[in-house]
Amino acid sequence: MTIYISELFKKVAKAKTRKQKKELLEQHRNNNVLKFVLQGTFDPTIQWNISKKFPKYKPDSAPIGLNPTSLYVAMPKCSIFVKDHPKSKSLSEAKINELLTQILESMHMDESLIFVQMLKKKLKVKGLTEKLVLEVFP
């Protein structure tokens, strides 16, 4: 069974030592969605084409796993939010905000929060630093 990214980040945050956090990340080293989230957050070459003021949204209130989508579905589509990406060039700011709202409202609140934090380049997971990420994903 695949672990949700939000559940993995909760485990990382609860891990007592840096070594335990690193081991958790290493166990999921082959998880491409995890890599994309971390890259989207920590890679300075990725710039998001999102306005500073995020659109208001109401995440799906269903229990995790019963939501229409998750980061596993949303992340492959997020190239439309990358600045100067061919898929985003023809989209207006209003359309980008509309698509972003749809994605955020279709995910569990924990998954939506991670997506927003990634777009803001400020992932708030206790002990998850750029240095640690680069050790596990050089």
Side-chain angles (χ1 to χ4, degrees):
M1 188 170 130
T2 305
I3 187 170
Y4 285 91
I5 303 301
S6 58
E7 293 173 330
L8 175 58
F9 284 169
K10 285 178 184 178
K11 286 183 177 187
V12 170
K14 286 181 183 177
K16 301 277 187 220
T17 66
R18 187 175 193 284
K19 182 181 176 186
Q20 290 172 332
K21 293 175 190 298
K22 185 176 178 180
E23 287 172 358
L24 277 168
L25 291 174
E26 286 175 341
Q27 289 172 13
H28 299 279
R29 186 180 297 180
N30 295 326
N31 184 325
N32 287 331
V33 173
L34 172 63
K35 287 183 204 176
F36 292 151
V37 169
L38 296 173
Q39 184 178 16
T41 303
F42 295 112
D43 186 343
T45 63
I46 296 176
Q47 295 182 1
W48 300 108
N49 190 22
I50 303 293
S51 61
K52 298 249 186 243
K53 187 178 179 191
F54 269 75
K56 298 276 186 217
Y57 70 96
K58 184 180 178 197
D60 191 327
S61 60
I64 196 157
L66 299 178
N67 313 91
T69 193
S70 70
L71 287 170
Y72 287 98
V73 176
M75 287 308 295
K77 300 174 188 175
C78 77
S79 60
I80 60 173
F81 303 117
V82 176
K83 193 173 191 173
D84 297 327
H85 191 279
K87 290 182 180 179
S88 69
K89 286 191 177 190
S90 63
L91 299 175
S92 67
E93 185 178 336
K95 185 64 175 176
I96 288 172
N97 284 339
E98 179 184 331
L99 292 169
L100 178 59
T101 301
Q102 290 173 359
I103 289 171
L104 294 173
E105 289 183 345
S106 66
M107 290 192 282
H108 184 270
M109 67 179 76
D110 294 343
E111 299 272 293
S112 293
L113 182 62
I114 290 169
F115 197 78
V116 168
Q117 290 174 354
M118 176 194 70
L119 294 174
K120 289 183 176 183
K121 298 256 184 203
K122 293 182 181 178
L123 201 55
K124 296 176 184 171
V125 179
K126 183 181 173 188
L128 186 62
T129 63
E130 183 175 4
K131 184 178 177 182
L132 177 61
V133 169
L134 288 173
E135 281 181 35
V136 178
F137 303 100

